[in-house]
Structure formats: C-alpha cells, structure tokens
Amino acid sequence: MIREFLVWLATQVGKGPGEFDPSWSDSLASSLNFWGLLEGTHVLSLMLFAGTIFVVDLRMLGGVFKRTPISVLSNRILPLTIFGLVIMLATGVALFYAKPLLYYHNIWFRLKLCFLVLAGLNILWFHLVLHRHRDQWDAQERPPTAVRLSGLASITLWLMVIIMGRFIEIGRASCRER
C-alpha cells in the first residue's frame, strides 16, 4: 500500500498529458542545479539545527557554559534552532519527493527515520516531564541525572540521524551497481 502510494507520487503528481511528459518528481530529480542547491541547503540547515541543539545538550550535560542557566542559553538559541528545523524539514521532504521509491527501499533512510522518531520522543520527554521542574535545576552547573541523560540521548540520536543520512548515498550507490 505504501509502495503504491509512492509510485503514484513519483509518476503521476504533476505529470503532463503527454506520454513522455515528466512528473514533478522526475523533473526535480533530473534537475542538476536545483537538486544540488536543495541538497546543499538541506545539509547547511542540518548543521545549523544540530549545532544549536548540541550547544544546549552540552550545557545540559554540564560541559559548557556552566554558569549560564539552561533557560537563558536555550531561549537565545531557540529561534536559530527552529529556523534550521523548518528549512531542514522542507528540503528533506522535497528530497524525498524527488526519489520516493529509492529512499523507501534504502535501509539507511529507514534507520534515519527511526532515529528521527526516537529524537522526537526524547524532545517530548524532556519538555513534558523534565522541563516542568526546570526552576529547580536550571542554574545548576551540573543538572540532575535525568536531564543529563536526555542531553546525552539527544546528542547520540541526532548524530545517528546525521550518520544514517550520509550512509543513504552508500545505499544509493549499491543500488546503481546491481
């Protein structure tokens, strides 16, 4: 069922009336300049997003900016984090749309999505459970164990998302060799 939807998405959406008219997905995938710009923008926005997340996570671990309350650091960095996230998600969806079947069959892409879900769950856990008691640990040089574990999980999961994203090309290259 998912595969059929992806075939329709790749071959029918935006397709012209002619037999050889490309779909929007085909047009995007075959556009050398726009594809490179899209991929580059995705990587740059990922760097912005991950870089800002890592600063806050390292503070949660008690490793950097020990005298700065986590809330102050987070509030200053949050607009950049959100900007990076929005651009990263938009470009990621567009990259997927260009080659949905290729990504669907790629184990590294699937693993990347699994780590994305886990990273999202870690964010929810932090904001719904740990963040409620922030006033008790916000200014501590070394936050409580649960906060540090959330920071460590965040760094680990986002690194895995990035690594799996880079491995997607390995999966694509091995598909071309067959």
Side-chain angles (χ1 to χ4, degrees):
M1 185 167 147
I2 293 174
R3 188 178 190 295
E4 288 80 23
F5 171 74
L6 295 177
V7 168
W8 172 80
L9 187 66
T11 60
Q12 299 303 313
V13 176
K15 182 167 176 43
E19 182 181 349
F20 298 107
D21 290 341
S23 67
W24 289 341
S25 178
D26 290 333
S27 296
L28 180 57
S30 63
S31 170
L32 292 177
N33 293 329
F34 190 69
W35 177 262
L37 180 64
L38 192 62
E39 207 168 25
T41 303
H42 184 68
V43 171
L44 289 173
S45 61
L46 171 66
M47 289 172 21
L48 175 62
F49 174 76
T52 57
I53 289 289
F54 290 167
V55 168
V56 175
D57 289 342
L58 289 171
R59 172 59 185 100
M60 288 168 52
L61 288 169
V64 297
F65 304 114
K66 293 179 181 183
R67 293 193 177 115
T68 305
I70 294 172
S71 61
V72 171
L73 188 63
S74 181
N75 290 341
R76 288 191 179 152
I77 290 178
L78 187 61
L80 290 172
T81 306
I82 292 172
F83 178 75
L85 176 65
V86 168
I87 302 300
M88 181 183 64
L89 289 176
T91 55
V93 168
L95 289 168
F96 176 80
Y97 174 67
K99 302 174 183 181
L101 289 170
L102 183 90
Y103 290 118
Y104 175 72
H105 292 291
N106 188 304
I107 186 66
W108 304 112
F109 179 77
R110 289 181 180 202
L111 287 170
K112 177 181 178 174
L113 291 182
C114 290
F115 285 115
L116 271 171
V117 168
L118 291 173
L121 290 173
N122 183 56
I123 290 169
L124 282 175
W125 178 60
F126 176 79
H127 284 283
L128 296 177
V129 177
L130 301 176
H131 197 261
R132 279 196 240 161
H133 308 289
R134 184 179 72 185
D135 56 328
Q136 297 170 5
W137 51 262
D138 188 34
Q140 293 179 358
E141 285 188 23
R142 185 179 164 116
T145 303
V147 174
R148 287 183 281 131
L149 285 174
S150 179
L152 180 62
S154 176
I155 289 173
T156 303
L157 291 168
W158 287 114
L159 282 174
M160 292 307 294
V161 168
I162 293 167
I163 291 167
M164 295 304 113
R166 297 315 310 145
F167 281 174
I168 289 172
E169 186 58 36
I170 294 170
R172 288 172 51 188
S174 67
C175 287
R176 280 187 231 130
E177 293 173 2
R178 290 181 199 168

